[in-house]
């Protein structure tokens, strides 16, 4: 990402024993690398350096993030639930954990840092404090959910309609 370096290459790292299938910039000075067994957090604009290694005990099914939090989805074999979500900050501290019971197509953070789990017909919304705020099965195809920053107003985008909803 640096025009001042030859071929724009700012660093090269070798990590023994892990595969890193996903690397994302979460801001202009922070990058995360999701690997088998760990998450690496890089800081720095011109030459990013590893600032933290977060050890991950279980196999990751999927991962999502915003510029504040990292969400990891694990298989939940002990419970009757489909899977387990763990939300961490970039220091590796656990912020929230939730079990979800729907087979999801998408898990993402909304604009208000709430966690939205959805399929094409089901949706669950959790606060960043592990409270299930909303759960519903729709009779029409759901494409996307948007929120405002205060966590009250939501926009549900369906195949043929858009609905604005206020949740408390």
């Amino acid at each position: 990402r640096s025009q001042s370096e030859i071929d724009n290459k700012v660093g090269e790292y070798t990590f023994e024993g892990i595969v890193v299938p996903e690397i994302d910039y979460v801001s202009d000075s922070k990058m995360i690398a999701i690997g088998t067994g760990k998450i690496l957090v890089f800081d720095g604009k011109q030459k990013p350096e590893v600032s933290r290694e977060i050890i991950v005990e279980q196999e990751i099914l999927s991962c999502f993030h915003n510029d504040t939090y990292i969400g990891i989805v694990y298989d939940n074999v002990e419970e009757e639930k489909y899977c387990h979500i763990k939300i961490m900050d970039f220091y590796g501290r656990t912020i929230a954990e939730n079990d979800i019971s729907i087979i999801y197509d998408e898990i993402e953070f909304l604009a208000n840092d709430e966690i939205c789990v959805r399929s094409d017909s089901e949706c669950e919304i959790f606060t960043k404090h592990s409270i299930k705020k909303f759960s519903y099965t729709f009779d029409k195809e759901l494409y996307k959910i948007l929120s405002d920053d205060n966590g009250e107003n939501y926009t549900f985008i369906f195949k043929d309609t858009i609905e604005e909803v206020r949740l408390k």
Side-chain angles (χ1 to χ4, degrees), residues 3-167:
Q3 297 294 323
S4 64
E5 301 294 326
I6 297 172
D7 296 330
N8 297 328
K9 185 176 180 179
V10 296
E12 182 176 306
Y13 302 93
T14 302
F15 300 99
E16 296 292 327
I18 69 168
V19 176
V20 181
E22 184 176 345
I23 299 173
D24 286 317
Y25 279 91
V26 295
S27 71
D28 63 347
S29 64
K30 188 176 296 298
M31 180 178 71
I32 59 172
I34 311 298
T36 52
K38 64 177 69 175
I39 298 171
L40 305 165
V41 179
F42 294 79
D43 285 316
K45 281 188 174 186
Q46 293 300 316
K47 292 189 181 239
E49 296 287 332
V50 176
S51 61
R52 276 168 287 321
E53 290 187 19
I54 303 168
I55 303 300
V56 179
E57 302 280 330
Q58 299 165 280
E59 181 181 349
I60 298 172
L61 292 178
S62 62
C63 184
F64 58 104
H65 62 81
N66 61 12
D67 60 357
T68 310
Y69 303 110
I70 302 167
I72 300 171
V73 182
Y74 302 108
D75 197 5
N76 194 347
V77 293
E78 292 90 30
E79 302 280 331
E80 297 277 327
K81 305 294 184 180
Y82 174 65
C83 57
H84 186 77
I85 301 172
K86 182 177 184 178
I87 308 300
M88 297 181 295
D89 63 15
F90 289 103
Y91 295 98
R93 292 183 297 239
T94 299
I95 304 300
E97 294 193 60
N98 291 96
D99 290 323
I100 61 171
S101 56
I102 65 173
I103 298 174
Y104 65 91
D105 294 322
E106 182 81 29
I107 298 180
E108 62 187 342
F109 286 105
L110 299 175
N112 57 13
D113 288 334
E114 291 178 336
I115 299 98
C116 178
V117 182
R118 67 172 176 78
S119 68
D120 62 354
S121 63
E122 294 178 279
C123 173
E124 293 181 342
I125 297 175
F126 298 92
T127 69
K128 64 182 176 184
H129 305 293
S130 300
I131 298 168
K132 186 186 283 188
K133 183 174 185 177
F134 179 77
S135 180
Y136 196 76
T137 301
F138 299 96
D139 58 359
K140 49 190 167 183
E141 193 170 349
L142 177 64
Y143 282 126
K144 185 83 173 160
I145 298 173
L146 306 171
S147 74
D148 63 6
D149 290 337
N150 68 12
E152 292 179 0
N153 299 312
Y154 297 82
T155 303
F156 291 80
I157 302 172
F158 297 98
K159 182 177 181 181
D160 297 321
T161 60
I162 295 175
E163 295 181 15
E164 299 214 4
V165 177
R166 184 174 185 92
L167 298 177

